[in-house]
Amino acid sequence: MLITGLLLSVMGLSIIGACFINDRTIVESRGQAVAEVVDTSLTRTVVRFNTEDGRVYIPPNGVIYPTDLQAGQLVRVEYDSRNPDLVRVAGRTAVISLLPVLSALAVLWAVLLPTYWLLRRSDRD
């Protein structure tokens, strides 16, 4: 049980780490554009924008940090000019990932530790 909690914690912290790495990558070779939100779903938000060399681009994985976007909306984005698949909403950073991930981990451990303690206690009796 504790191993599962540790694995989920490592996964959560890895998500945060990946967000910071993505941000650093975008900052190293930043391109900027105005994008149209094409579609939103639970798994991704699709945007369409023109790269600095004039190509129309639709990243297959959508945009990162897509909170509160709606189809048809125009939004400023920043992308990695070397790899336009990596695109985020301008002004949003990995800091956004801290609250949901750390909250989920807090709930996980708030449930897991008392459960583990109760199970260990009942095994001794």
Side-chain angles (χ1 to χ4, degrees):
M1 182 183 300
L2 291 180
I3 292 174
T4 302
L6 288 173
L7 288 174
L8 290 172
S9 295
V10 168
M11 287 173 54
L13 295 174
S14 296
I15 289 170
I16 292 171
C19 289
F20 278 98
I21 290 169
N22 284 340
D23 282 355
R24 187 187 70 218
T25 302
I26 290 171
V27 168
E28 287 173 355
S29 181
R30 184 180 317 189
Q32 297 181 342
V34 174
E36 177 187 1
V37 179
V38 177
D39 186 39
T40 60
S41 70
L42 289 176
T43 56
R44 69 185 181 138
T45 298
V46 179
V47 297
R48 174 179 40 228
F49 62 94
N50 292 332
T51 60
E52 292 174 350
D53 61 2
R55 292 185 304 144
V56 175
Y57 205 80
I58 301 174
N61 296 322
V63 64
I64 54 178
Y65 319 129
T67 308
D68 297 329
L69 297 181
Q70 299 172 353
Q73 183 178 2
L74 295 178
V75 62
R76 294 201 55 76
V77 294
E78 300 172 334
Y79 61 93
D80 179 2
S81 61
R82 299 168 297 198
N83 175 18
D85 284 347
L86 184 57
V87 59
R88 70 179 178 191
V89 176
R92 298 183 185 177
T93 64
V95 172
I96 291 174
S97 69
L98 294 176
L99 182 62
V101 173
L102 294 178
S103 296
L105 291 177
V107 169
L108 168 74
W109 287 103
V111 170
L112 192 67
L113 289 176
T115 303
Y116 177 75
W117 180 76
L118 287 172
L119 291 174
R120 292 275 308 202
R121 187 172 166 210
S122 66
D123 283 346
R124 288 188 212 155
D125 293 339

